[in-house]
Structures are given as structure tokens and as C-alpha cells.
Amino acid sequence: EHQHTRYNPLRDDWVLVSAHRMKRPWQGQLEKPSPEDVPRWDPNNPLCPGTTRANGEVNPQYEGTFVFPNDFPALQPDAPEPDDSDHPLFRAAAARGVCKVMCFHPWSDLTLPLMSLAEIRAVIDTWAELATELGASYPWVQIFENKGAMMGCSNPHPHCQVWASSFLPNEARLEDRTQRQHLSQHGVPMLLQYAEQEAHRKERLVVENEDWLVVVPYWATWPYQTLLLPRRHVCRLQDLSEDEKNSLASIMKRLLIKYDNLFEVSFPYSMGWHGAPMGPYLEEDCGHWQLHAHYYPPLLRSATVRKFMVGYEMLAQAQRDLTPEQAAERLRNLSEIHYKQKVK
């Protein structure tokens, strides 16, 4: 009940927890929830089967997942080298890569929690295939989904993006360093040890099965942030067994149903997978890494009130009002039947 700070060993930083602030009245910005009446197929939606994209290409009549090059890529494979710097305070480095878009399903009105387990498993299989394909050449392959207009998603069709880069991004370099240090100091991968601790303590556990668990991490910054962890030591998506992929589909569906049920809205979030680097790192020992997925949802009090990362967060350090234990308990106690599929 009293403010305190918590250490995040994965990022080597701290978060201020101020639970008593949840009692303050809210007179700030209210968000407009995403529309619930998304058409199943829209001839003007460039992600739908059979429609024309911005570059003039026509999508095939796909029936499962569909992957294509991003028409507006942030990274391109043939970018030139930047000019040499004349001062150490003005440095630049080469940045090359490939950006792809992956549609989860041909229907625009079907999000992951409403998809079947077989359809979610197909998404996981495609993720693993892309990680293998792009990871053969690039050291980092970032799979990420921005869901909902609140998180900057410009298209309601269920999809994610995959960016492969010639460099390790900031978060990857940070997690590489902290996990390497933890293994060196404690003799066990950090997130493997963390998963074992959370499975035992249970106070931040949201859902679990034989191969996976989802927790609101002890150091969570976003109100209903979660961390998806395997129970065994595994470095990369493509290293998962068939059974682990099936149980991953199940636990993803259970988590995302709970998210939607929290405020009975298609829950916005940004999520992404972190695993051991690839490319040249495939020849190195990356045993300090543990595969995991981050979910960062912005909603705080309702479908219309979100958490803003401003002021103190931008200028000092992360701060949260709802404790991770309170958030986990609320998510844990929610139904695993989607609110849209409940019998009235």
C-alpha cells in the first residue's frame, strides 16, 4: 500500500510503484474504443485477400496466414553506408534489413483470441519459419504486433510485422548484457530462474499450462503488462517442440481472452518476441538467453482511460499506480470464455 521502487533485472533499471494513486479522480483524456463493427472483407482494405496494395500489387486469395514485403519499410537491404563522422558526438552507423507484414487470417473481424487453436498454431508456425529464414542472414528478427488504434495500428485487419536488422537494437543489446551477466554470476539463465520462482510464488501468475506461464512481472511498468515464458530452457522460437507450439497457442488464446474480458473491449497492446540473436550469433553460445514475449497494454481503469508515459516517466523513471499483484489477481480471476461468445 506504500510507494516503493522495484528493480527490473532484464533492463537494469527501476520502476516506482505508487498504489495509493489509484484513488485519485480522473478528469483527463478519454479514449474512443476501437469500432466493433469491422467488416469481414473490405475491397478498400489493402490487407484483405484479393485487394490491391499501395504499390499496385494484388493480394492472393489467401486462406491462412499471408506474408508480404512491407510496402513502406523502415529498413532496406541495400542502404548505403553513412558518411564518416568528424566528431565523436555525431556518430552514425549502417542500418540495413528487411521488413515484412504478416496477416494472421483472411477475415478482418477476427482477432487472435477469437481464432481457433489450429489457426493460432498456424500463426506460431509462420513466426518460427520467418525467424529461421531471416535469422539465417540477420542478427536480429523482431516479431511484433501493434493491436488497436490506441497503439498506433492503422489497419484493423489481424496482422503483425517482422523486421530483420543488420544490428542488435537497443532492447536486444540490453537484454543480451543483463542475461549474460546473470548466467555468469548465478549459473542459471535469468528468465528460467524467474519463471521457476513465479510458478512457485503464484501471486503474479495469470495463466499457466505444462509448458508455459504468463505473469504480470514483478517490475511491470504498464498496468496490465504481462510476460510469457517457457518452463524449459529454450533460446529461440524455432527451437520449440511441436507440443510446445500447441500449448503456446492455447496459453496465448487464454491470455488474450482475459485481456478482452477485462473491459469487454478488443484489448489494445503492443507485443513482441525476444530470443537469442541469430545470423553470426548462431555459431556462438547463446545459452544465457531465454525465449520470451512481452505484452504492453496501455489501458488502466477502463476501455477509455489509459496510462500515459509522460512527465516523471520521460524525465526520471517509470512509475505505475496499480501494483503488479493487483493486476495479476484481476486478470487471473477473469473468465476464459470470451465476452462475445458467452450465452446471454
Side-chain angles (χ1 to χ4, degrees), residues 59-329:
N59 294 332
Q61 294 290 345
Y62 64 93
E63 297 181 351
T65 60
F66 170 51
V67 179
F68 62 92
N70 194 315
D71 296 328
F72 303 96
L75 292 163
Q76 295 177 324
D78 53 358
E81 291 279 346
D83 293 336
D84 291 335
S85 173
D86 61 355
H87 193 281
L89 292 178
F90 301 92
R91 291 190 296 169
R96 300 184 180 91
V98 172
C99 297
K100 293 182 180 289
V101 176
M102 172 186 162
C103 295
F104 296 154
H105 196 278
W107 296 355
S108 292
D109 61 342
L110 203 64
T111 56
L112 279 170
L114 294 171
M115 290 167 57
S116 70
L117 289 177
E119 290 166 337
I120 299 173
R121 169 62 197 266
V123 169
I124 294 166
D125 286 340
T126 306
W127 281 343
E129 290 165 7
L130 286 168
T132 301
E133 172 195 337
L134 297 172
S137 304
Y138 292 98
W140 191 254
V141 179
Q142 184 60 66
I143 298 167
F144 66 97
E145 178 192 5
N146 294 324
K147 179 171 178 273
M150 196 182 301
M151 297 309 293
C153 183
S154 60
N155 192 309
H157 194 93
H159 72 285
C160 72
Q161 297 190 54
V162 183
W163 292 12
S165 61
S166 61
F167 55 91
L168 290 187
N170 293 341
E171 293 297 310
R173 286 191 292 109
L174 183 55
E175 289 194 3
D176 185 70
R177 175 176 64 82
T178 57
Q179 290 181 96
R180 188 184 299 275
Q181 288 175 343
H182 188 92
L183 181 64
S184 174
Q185 294 171 4
H186 301 282
V188 61
M190 177 198 296
L191 292 181
L192 181 62
Q193 186 178 45
Y194 179 68
E196 292 171 350
Q197 284 289 317
E198 289 288 30
H200 173 71
R201 294 169 186 256
K202 296 191 181 303
E203 58 189 328
R204 285 170 295 274
L205 190 66
V206 178
V207 287
E208 63 178 331
N209 60 25
E210 63 274 18
D211 298 312
W212 301 86
L213 68 157
V214 175
V215 300
V216 177
Y218 177 78
W219 53 79
T221 298
W222 294 93
Y224 292 97
Q225 175 181 335
T226 55
L227 184 62
L228 172 57
L229 295 162
R231 291 185 183 271
R232 76 170 177 98
H233 185 208
V234 55
C235 292
R236 301 177 177 94
L237 263 174
Q238 56 267 43
D239 298 334
L240 296 174
S241 69
E242 295 300 302
D243 287 343
E244 286 170 330
K245 291 176 183 176
N246 287 333
S247 57
L248 174 57
S250 173
I251 204 164
M252 282 175 55
K253 184 177 177 73
R254 293 169 63 196
L255 169 65
L256 297 179
I257 285 175
K258 285 179 179 289
Y259 269 161
D260 280 10
N261 285 346
L262 180 60
F263 299 129
E264 294 198 346
V265 67
S266 185
F267 206 68
Y269 58 74
S270 283
M271 72 80 64
W273 284 98
H274 282 174
M278 290 173 274
Y281 294 89
L282 290 170
E283 304 300 320
E284 299 183 8
D285 182 3
C286 290
H288 55 290
W289 270 90
Q290 175 75 329
L291 177 70
H292 59 282
H294 296 282
Y295 285 83
Y296 297 132
L299 293 179
L300 173 59
R301 298 177 182 226
S302 69
T304 61
V305 177
R306 64 173 295 180
K307 162 73 176 176
F308 288 91
M309 289 293 182
V310 295
Y312 190 85
E313 290 88 351
M314 295 177 71
L315 296 166
Q317 70 179 39
Q319 182 271 335
R320 64 176 292 126
D321 297 342
L322 187 71
T323 70
E325 293 75 24
Q326 291 168 330
E329 182 180 22

Side-chain angles (χ1 to χ4, degrees), residues 257-258 261 334-343:
I257 285 175
K258 285 179 179 289
N261 285 346
L334 288 167
S335 170
E336 293 187 10
I337 300 174
H338 198 278
Y339 72 91
K340 287 185 176 181
Q341 298 175 328
K342 289 182 179 178
V343 178

Side-chain angles (χ1 to χ4, degrees), residues 27-49:
Q27 294 182 326
Q29 178 175 325
L30 299 179
E31 300 287 344
K32 183 179 179 180
S34 299
E36 297 283 336
D37 56 347
V38 176
R40 180 154 292 181
W41 185 85
D42 182 349
N44 297 314
N45 188 328
L47 298 187
C48 286

